[in-house]
Amino acid sequence: MSQTAIISGVHNTKVGEVPGSTCMSLHTEAALGALEDAGLKLSDIDGVICAYALSENYPMLSSAFCEYVGAEPNFNAGLHGGGATGAMMVMQAAALVKSGTCRHVLCVTGDNRLTGMTRDKAVAALTEFGHPQFEQPYGISIPAAYALVAQRYLHETGATLEHLAALSVSHRAHAAMHPDAHMTKPITMDDVANARVISSPLRLLDCCLISDGGAALVVSAGDTRADLKKRPVTVLGAGQGHTHEHIVAAPSLIDFGCRTASARAFAAAGVKTDDIDVAEIYDSFTITLLIELESIGFFEKGTAGEAALNGELTHGGRLPCNTHGGLLSFGHSGAAGGMFHVVEAVRQLRGEADTRQVADAELAFVHGDGGILSAHCSLILGRA
Amino acid sequence: MTGKPTPTPNADTSPFWEACNEDRLIVQTCRSCGHVQFYPRALCVKCESRDLNWRDAKPEGTVHSCTVVHRAPTPAFKEDAPYVLALIDLDDGFRMMMNVINCPPESVAIGMPVRIVFEDREGQKLPQAEPSANA
């Protein structure tokens, strides 16, 4: 029988303002937490994948992390897929254990973007965003790029700002049920509508947070499950889709690589959208999630917003989504942002999500996207 | 000195930027399959041919999407906010990012016809859009 890939341990640090944290302290805390959750030691790890950080300069962050914790794995690599990185790490690690290259792969992310960025570093990071010749001279920003997507989406589908706002409100309510979340104060539809405009039609509460935080997980070979502390979660399918990096070069403003990525993941797992019990889908902006829900096939084009308004995306609804509060309210710490979605999916499948628990969750869908809906990776995870 | 970014032309793009300095919009086309592509590259992304050519493009288009940026990304753009960032579909079949200028930001809408004008930025001219109605 061929080897399966399982997620054997997960952990997230406290998210939000974490005074005194550094990129490396968040990596270490997240990694040790995931190992403890799995019942493994650092010496069991033979593969390490890290991402990147803005708050500290590590040209080879994964090597720096291994050096710091004293790990000498037989596979070590950095992965840069923006918000898709977390899901991509799982896909890559799954391939490593399935091929027999590794037994236990530690995937680690973390950044203290809230307290660790000097003004100069923050401005420099913003200045670098966009195509240097064909976007930057026009004053592009990340919210403005997503606003271009939002404006076109609203124009073509007739969706409303209320639809976007419903997502902000439900995400905040979910975050209030998570002990580690960044923003837990309830918000109303009026709060969203009255927040200041960042780039029309997107207002402040349509945008993700900037947080300190870290998250890590261990992907293990399926035949190690007897050595593990907890019931593992199986990686049933994974897929990627890539169409562009810069929004000026995107083939469409309302349909993206999430369609291909999810189709590949569903095909690999042999399941359909209707089979999914809980979904953790990238939500850098409210519009990101709305478009992905439709491109992935959970809802018909132009109907996800109405579903959000009707409570279909929360507990008891058709597709409980971002049960931890997502990037909008749980928090966003660089590559860890997308990893939080994976961690939450695993907890849901293990039945460890306390008051956030989706009853009888057996099959979870996770999706990350990086850039401006540019790089996509989908995962189907199941109770082992 | 505005502090705003200016393009640094490279081997792929210098003909484009030189034409801008002569108030001309040109576009890269594939001699092999006829594909019109923006931004300029070393190969045709449709047929992989490296036999590429330049031709004059009609300096007119339509707003495909637009946003009014209230929060400028860097100090250099602060003075301009609120300003319009737009994706413009040129009549010749390619898409560019530009600001829509010389009009109230709230008057810009999807589907609005625009024409291309050139803004001088520290010695390099940049294509920009203004409402066709301004002409």
Side-chain angles (χ1 to χ4, degrees):
Chain A
M1 195 184 128
S2 66
Q3 187 69 265
T4 58
I6 56 179
I7 299 179
S8 52
V10 296
H11 189 70
N12 65 265
T13 68
K14 191 91 186 149
V15 176
E17 202 170 314
V18 186
S21 65
T22 64
C23 159
M24 202 53 83
S25 76
L26 293 164
H27 270 69
T28 305
E29 186 190 334
L32 295 179
L35 287 168
E36 191 189 339
D37 191 49
L40 295 169
K41 298 199 302 285
L42 259 171
S43 55
D44 297 318
I45 295 298
D46 54 7
V48 175
I49 307 176
C50 292
Y52 50 88
L54 293 181
S55 59
E56 290 169 49
N57 298 326
Y58 291 109
M60 294 157 61
L61 177 56
S62 209
S63 295
F65 169 75
C66 288
E67 173 190 285
Y68 182 87
V69 297
E72 296 183 6
N74 62 29
F75 179 95
N76 176 34
L79 215 160
H80 288 240
T85 304
M88 284 176 172
M89 282 174 159
V90 174
M91 184 172 179
Q92 181 62 48
L96 289 169
V97 299
K98 283 185 175 181
S99 68
T101 308
C102 297
R103 302 286 286 162
H104 298 288
V105 181
L106 177 61
C107 304
V108 197
T109 56
D111 208 354
N112 56 332
R113 288 200 177 181
L114 183 57
T115 63
M117 295 286 280
T118 61
R119 194 181 155 72
D120 285 352
K121 270 186 182 158
V123 169
L126 293 169
T127 306
E128 282 166 14
F129 172 75
H131 192 291
Q133 293 184 60
F134 297 109
E135 293 184 335
Q136 285 178 7
Y138 299 102
I140 189 175
S141 66
I142 296 173
Y146 276 92
L148 290 168
V149 172
Q151 207 77 278
R152 187 72 204 181
Y153 173 84
L154 297 178
H155 176 79
E156 287 199 24
T157 63
T160 67
L161 295 178
E162 257 198 320
H163 293 153
L164 296 177
L167 294 171
S168 307
V169 172
S170 70
H171 280 59
R172 184 59 58 87
H174 292 168
M177 293 188 274
H178 199 303
D180 300 325
H182 185 170
M183 295 291 268
T184 55
K185 189 180 159 218
I187 53 171
T188 64
M189 296 291 280
D190 280 348
D191 291 334
V192 185
N194 294 325
R196 66 191 161 89
V197 178
I198 302 295
S199 195
S200 66
L202 301 178
R203 292 176 179 270
L204 183 66
L205 293 174
D206 289 299
C207 307
C208 62
L209 304 171
I210 297 173
S211 321
D212 302 334
L217 55 80
V218 183
V219 176
S220 300
D223 62 4
T224 65
R225 66 176 294 173
D227 308 334
L228 305 170
K229 201 158 92 183
K230 289 186 178 171
R231 180 181 187 170
V233 160
T234 307
V235 182
L236 297 170
Q240 297 189 14
H242 303 273
T243 51
H244 65 283
E245 164 150 12
H246 304 100
I247 196 63
V248 71
S252 161
L253 289 192
I254 60 163
D255 197 10
F256 295 92
C258 36
R259 181 180 296 279
T260 321
S262 57
R264 288 172 178 153
F266 278 113
V271 301
K272 309 181 300 296
T273 51
D274 285 350
D275 300 325
I276 297 298
D277 300 309
V278 58
E280 312 295 349
I281 300 177
Y282 208 71
D283 57 317
S284 49
F285 295 86
T286 47
I287 186 64
T288 316
L289 177 56
L290 212 52
I291 283 187
E292 291 185 336
L293 283 165
E294 294 172 3
S295 278
I296 290 163
F298 287 113
F299 297 93
E300 296 288 314
K301 183 62 76 194
T303 66
E306 196 65 43
L309 264 181
N310 294 336
E312 298 289 351
L313 297 176
T314 191
H315 299 82
R318 188 171 133 200
L319 184 74
C321 183
N322 294 344
T323 43
H324 61 314
L327 306 165
L328 291 168
S329 282
F330 179 80
H332 191 3
S333 317
M339 196 63 122
F340 297 145
H341 291 81
V342 187
V343 170
E344 175 69 3
V346 170
R347 292 196 174 126
Q348 287 286 348
L349 294 172
R350 286 176 175 173
E352 291 179 346
D354 299 323
T355 53
R356 314 185 305 281
Q357 185 64 46
V358 173
D360 304 320
E362 290 189 5
L363 212 51
F365 176 85
V366 179
H367 187 84
D369 89 81
I372 307 301
L373 290 149
S374 316
H376 295 263
C377 186
S378 302
L379 303 173
I380 314 281
L381 306 178
R383 233 191 240 181
Chain B
M1 175 91 190
T2 64
K4 288 182 192 170
T6 53
T8 305
N10 59 28
D12 291 338
T13 63
S14 56
F16 175 86
W17 291 116
E18 282 163 21
C20 286
N21 281 342
E22 297 164 3
D23 293 339
R24 285 191 306 126
L25 187 70
I26 63 171
V27 68
Q28 197 178 39
T29 59
C30 176
R31 278 204 179 96
S32 188
C33 76
H35 177 60
V36 175
Q37 74 182 8
F38 187 85
Y39 50 92
R41 298 157 165 106
L43 79 168
C44 169
V45 297
K46 283 284 178 267
C47 77
E48 303 178 27
S49 165
R50 300 181 70 169
D51 190 8
L52 299 158
N53 195 16
W54 294 93
R55 66 172 168 79
D56 282 319
K58 191 175 162 195
E60 290 174 20
T62 309
V63 175
H64 181 73
S65 192
C66 55
T67 177
V68 181
V69 181
H70 288 260
R71 186 175 168 150
T74 58
F77 286 96
K78 217 166 182 172
E79 228 173 72
D80 291 355
Y83 57 91
V84 178
L85 184 76
L87 289 169
I88 305 297
D89 282 345
L90 280 300
D91 287 357
D92 282 357
F94 61 103
R95 184 173 296 167
M96 291 181 67
M97 180 170 285
M98 294 180 206
N99 301 121
V100 183
I101 57 173
N102 303 332
C103 62
E106 62 277 11
S107 69
V108 179
I110 290 173
M112 181 188 217
V114 293
R115 63 190 196 108
I116 307 313
V117 294
F118 291 90
E119 173 198 322
D120 184 49
R121 189 172 293 176
E122 296 173 47
Q124 173 62 59
K125 288 189 180 176
L126 277 186
Q128 292 282 27
E130 70 165 23
S132 298
N134 282 15

